[in-house]
Amino acid sequence: YTAAISGEWGFAVYGNRLIATNLSDVVQCLGDGSTSWATASKFAALTATSGTIPKAQTCAMYRDHLFLGNVVETATAYPRRLWRSELGVVTGFLPATVTGCGFKDIDAPGESLIALKVLGSYLAVYMTDSIWIVDWIGYPLWFSYTRLASAVGPLNQACVVAIDDGKHLILTKNDVVEVTPAGARPLGLGVRNWMFNNSYNKAYPTRVTHLINRQKKIVMWGYCSTASSGVPDKILIYNYEEDRFSRADYSHFVVGTVPSPGYTIDGIASDWASFDALPDATYDSAFWLGGTELQGVIGSDSKLSQFSGAPVTGVLLTTEMSLADADGVGYIGNIRPIIEVPAGSVSGRVYHRFRDNDVYQQTTGTMGSSGLINLRATGRYAKIELSVTGFHNGIRGMDVDI
């Protein structure tokens, strides 16, 4: 293939076909429509049954049409052009009202089409600096094209993440943005300064990759920092359920999701030195069949690694509150943590004092079988800390006897 080193691929699935685009090469296809792409041996050019299939940067299936965006037609580039195939025929590209085949130049002069992704009942069209919505309206016009947002656009295709059918998260040149059919909402207040103003290297936008863990509600984007010369070395982590950001320093080529390998009795010796070192899985477990989704990275050492390790201690700390009654004294008794499926220990700590310039006294306790942390603390002011070790599904809050 002739794609530039700074280029990227787009993919779409239609029946037994896996379609791939990279702008430089003709549109590729794995599987011929009768043979599943999962068992096909190699990609080949997608051959037109009518008209001419243009080269394209990005692709998507929507309403049984193959959409191709940012195209090249006979050596002429049309960065704003969005083609669609005939209805139900991904190889048909002869424009005709009756088949629904045609093209549209998005009304965004000076911009380029970056990515296409289904958004609920719409197709989202991501331009350099705007977002558009394609809606099916039926014969004879087939589709409408409406601007959804201005002054916002992804860095590349990998910056667009579908977290569910009607919601995308995109990494832009200066923010993290949530996109729904109702509009675009910036989320990156907590990371805007340290990442986009100080850390992100805008010279390498196509090096950004992503993964999504829907079980844990986490999205990760790997990117190049200002200290990098082209190898991604930072990972931005966003929990879209808790609306919180974090980050990691790790030199890598790609972050993504891969299927776990399968194993045989004869082959396990090459991965584990002894029976005692084997994973905690029964011999009839599906673990040995492989195919389990693993989130991880291809490191800069070209080795595939998955994210693992012991969970860190979760901490929830309240702001200081006034406990004072008419006598100027307050009292804290039991604390009931509200935690989903805690597997480790849960402890509490009360920081309490009587006067503004007093040093905090500390009273601690551990949650018992009743689900309560029994302790006694008095003072005029207090703040409360919960600490949770091991796995859990979320620290939701606490009830306190005051």
Side-chain angles (χ1 to χ4, degrees):
Y1 300 103
T2 57
I5 193 170
S6 60
E8 55 178 334
W9 286 87
F11 295 93
V13 174
Y14 180 69
N16 288 326
R17 290 185 171 100
L18 176 62
I19 298 165
T21 57
N22 73 355
L23 191 59
S24 299
D25 292 288
V26 297
V27 176
Q28 299 290 300
C29 183
L30 187 63
D32 58 8
S34 58
T35 303
S36 171
W37 65 268
T39 59
S41 60
K42 62 180 180 180
F43 280 92
L46 183 65
T47 304
T49 53
S50 63
T52 302
I53 303 174
K55 297 178 181 179
Q57 174 63 70
T58 184
C59 60
M61 289 301 307
Y62 175 63
R63 293 282 185 169
D64 265 357
H65 294 264
L66 172 61
F67 279 77
L68 301 175
N70 190 346
V71 302
V72 173
E73 302 173 26
T74 318
T76 302
Y78 298 93
R80 295 186 290 122
R81 182 159 294 180
L82 181 60
W83 267 92
R84 62 181 185 271
S85 72
E86 298 173 8
L87 177 63
V89 184
V90 296
T91 54
F93 274 81
L94 182 64
T97 300
V98 68
T99 64
C101 179
F103 63 85
K104 168 73 174 180
D105 289 321
I106 302 300
D107 188 17
E111 298 185 41
S112 296
L113 201 157
I114 303 297
L116 300 170
K117 196 172 287 288
V118 173
L119 180 65
S121 60
Y122 307 94
L123 177 67
V125 179
Y126 291 96
M127 306 293 289
T128 309
D129 211 31
S130 61
I131 303 172
W132 293 71
I133 288 292
V134 179
D135 188 17
W136 182 81
I137 57 177
Y139 179 85
L141 298 178
W142 291 98
F143 297 95
S144 66
Y145 302 81
T146 307
R147 185 188 292 265
L148 181 69
S150 299
V152 59
L155 299 169
N156 69 356
Q157 296 184 67
C159 291
V160 182
V161 184
I163 59 175
D164 59 39
D165 287 341
K167 185 182 294 184
H168 295 168
L169 293 176
I170 66 171
L171 191 65
T172 75
K173 60 186 176 183
N174 54 19
D175 216 330
V176 177
V177 177
E178 176 188 272
V179 180
T180 68
R185 180 172 69 96
L187 302 173
L189 180 62
V191 297
R192 203 171 292 146
N193 184 55
W194 63 256
M195 177 179 172
F196 296 105
N197 294 342
N198 299 309
S199 175
Y200 171 62
N201 191 334
K202 296 180 175 62
Y204 303 102
T206 59
R207 305 295 170 86
V208 176
T209 56
H210 81 262
L211 69 81
I212 179 169
N213 186 325
R214 289 186 172 83
Q215 180 182 4
K216 296 183 177 180
K217 315 297 184 185
I218 290 174
V219 175
M220 298 183 184
W221 289 278
Y223 65 95
C224 297
S225 75
T226 50
S228 169
S229 58
V231 176
D233 56 348
K234 301 284 186 182
I235 301 175
L236 175 66
I237 306 166
Y238 177 58
N239 186 313
Y240 54 86
E241 183 176 57
E242 302 292 341
D243 191 24
R244 292 186 176 181
F245 288 93
S246 185
R247 54 182 170 174
D249 298 330
Y250 194 85
S251 181
H252 64 280
F253 292 133
V254 177
V255 297
T257 301
V258 297
S260 64
Y263 299 95
T264 65
I265 291 294
D266 295 329
I268 59 176
S270 61
D271 291 279
W272 293 280
S274 67
F275 281 102
D276 292 335
L278 289 175
D280 186 17
T282 61
Y283 289 117
D284 60 352
S285 169
F287 168 83
W288 305 105
L289 297 176
T292 302
E293 283 194 353
L294 301 176
Q295 283 80 36
V297 300
I298 298 176
S300 56
D301 57 359
S302 299
K303 295 180 179 179
L304 176 63
S305 303
Q306 72 177 99
F307 294 117
S308 63
V312 298
T313 299
V315 177
L316 178 64
L317 179 64
T318 71
T319 57
E320 188 175 69
M321 66 190 83
S322 175
L323 305 177
D325 56 16
D327 297 324
V329 176
Y331 169 83
I332 291 181
N334 294 326
I335 300 173
R336 185 177 73 86
I338 304 174
I339 302 169
E340 293 187 22
V341 199
S345 64
V346 181
S347 60
R349 184 186 303 269
V350 178
Y351 300 87
H352 50 105
R353 62 184 180 178
F354 283 94
R355 293 173 296 187
D356 291 344
N357 58 349
D358 285 348
V359 176
Y360 279 116
Q361 298 180 57
Q362 299 183 30
T363 302
T364 61
T366 302
M367 186 176 76
S369 59
S370 65
L372 298 175
I373 300 173
N374 296 306
L375 47 75
R376 301 290 183 269
T378 58
R380 186 178 181 88
Y381 308 104
K383 56 184 178 180
I384 303 170
E385 178 184 277
L386 284 182
S387 296
V388 185
T389 65
F391 289 96
H392 58 85
N393 290 342
I395 305 173
R396 305 304 179 195
M398 67 185 88
D399 288 333
V400 183
D401 292 338
I402 299 178

